[in-house]
């Protein structure tokens, strides 16, 4: 048996890739793949941020509805606490014979509402800040604003009996790809205790 020998013509030999051509092709391919990966990550992060913003915003609107309803129906403020470990507001609703307590814990990042005779309701989750201020009934009007006096007695100490308006504000956020991203603007509301005499 005679071994077969492949004879390549000189034209056929010149059609093969050289090492330089292969290196350039790999470099260009790597750049294209890196650009595609970067755009994919950017698009995923933007989409996730939009979903997070929408979800946090809807949860904040729900919390605002629930909290506003309870504060407006309250007949008075019983107590408040501004401790760093937990902030709270305790209100009473004499018409329903119920006490309502709103508690914010920075450790759990939650605002929980407790109401007499009902199970606790987690009003907000992933909450970074939650602040409140207490104001009196009587406004003072400037040329550009309607402002309220703080609910303080003559010596500057907060007096829960003078409180007619509660100003609330909070900010929630989530992490996206292990980075904390604020995906919701500060929510704020001024709520009047309508049932308070």
């Amino acid at each position: 048996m005679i071994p077969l020998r492949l004879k390549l013509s000189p034209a056929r030999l010149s059609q093969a890739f050289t090492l330089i051509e292969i290196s350039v092709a790999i470099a260009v391919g790597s750049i294209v793949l890196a650009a595609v990966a970067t755009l994919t990550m950017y698009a995923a992060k933007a989409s996730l941020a939009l979903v997070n913003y929408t979800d946090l915003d809807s949860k904040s609107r729900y919390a605002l509805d629930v909290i506003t309803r309870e504060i407006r129906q309250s007949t008075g403020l019983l107590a408040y606490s501004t401790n760093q470990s937990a902030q709270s507001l305790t209100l009473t609703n004499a018409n329903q014979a119920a006490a309502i307590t709103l508690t914010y814990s920075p450790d759990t990042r939650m605002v929980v509402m407790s109401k007499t005779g009902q199970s606790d309701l987690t009003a907000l989750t992933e909450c970074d800040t939650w602040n409140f201020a207490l104001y009196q009934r009587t406004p003072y009007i400037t040329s550009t604003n309607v402002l309220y006096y703080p609910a303080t007695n003559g010596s500057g100490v907060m007096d829960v009996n003078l409180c007619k308006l509660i100003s609330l504000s909070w900010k929630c956020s989530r992490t996206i790809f292990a980075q904390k991203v604020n995906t919701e603007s500060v929510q704020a509301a001024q709520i009047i205790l309508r049932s308070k005499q």
Side-chain angles (χ1 to χ4, degrees):
M1 179 177 249
I2 301 171
L4 285 173
R5 293 184 190 226
L6 294 174
K7 291 187 176 182
L8 297 174
S9 66
R12 178 94 171 147
L13 285 174
S14 66
Q15 290 179 354
F17 289 110
T18 65
L19 182 60
I20 293 173
E21 291 171 331
I22 291 174
S23 299
V24 168
I26 289 173
V28 169
S30 298
I31 291 170
V32 168
L33 287 176
V36 168
T38 302
L39 288 174
T40 302
M41 288 296 288
Y42 176 77
K45 189 173 181 180
S47 297
L48 191 55
L50 182 61
V51 169
N52 276 347
Y53 175 79
T54 303
D55 187 46
L56 286 173
D57 189 54
S58 67
K59 287 182 178 180
S60 282
R61 280 187 280 121
Y62 168 76
L64 184 61
D65 288 344
V66 170
I67 291 169
T68 299
R69 182 184 65 235
E70 294 300 331
I71 291 176
R72 283 184 177 164
Q73 293 176 355
S74 296
T75 54
L77 178 67
L78 296 177
Y80 70 95
S81 172
T82 56
N83 294 336
Q84 293 210 354
S85 60
Q87 298 175 14
S88 67
L89 288 169
T90 304
L91 301 123
T92 183
N93 187 330
N95 301 329
Q96 298 176 358
I100 301 102
T101 303
L102 295 165
T103 306
Y104 167 68
S105 172
D107 297 331
T108 61
R109 298 176 62 211
M110 293 192 305
V111 175
V112 177
M113 184 175 72
S114 305
K115 187 173 182 180
T116 305
Q118 297 180 7
S119 57
D120 290 354
L121 172 70
T122 303
L124 279 172
T125 58
E126 302 169 307
C127 187
D128 295 326
T129 61
W130 190 73
N131 299 303
F132 62 86
L134 310 175
Y135 296 99
Q136 295 181 32
R137 175 189 309 253
T138 311
Y140 63 96
I141 300 170
T142 67
S143 60
T144 57
N145 287 323
V146 176
L147 303 171
Y148 291 88
Y149 294 102
T152 56
N153 59 22
S155 60
V157 177
M158 282 291 184
D159 185 352
V160 295
N161 295 319
L162 295 175
C163 181
K164 176 68 175 173
L165 182 138
I166 298 174
S167 177
L168 294 173
S169 65
W170 62 81
K171 187 170 189 173
C172 299
S173 68
R174 286 189 181 157
T175 56
I176 299 175
F177 298 125
Q179 291 181 334
K180 190 170 186 175
V181 178
N182 290 330
T183 58
E184 183 197 35
S185 57
V186 173
Q187 300 292 319
Q190 290 184 332
I191 308 164
I192 295 175
L193 283 73
R194 290 182 177 170
S195 298
K196 182 174 180 178
Q197 300 301 323

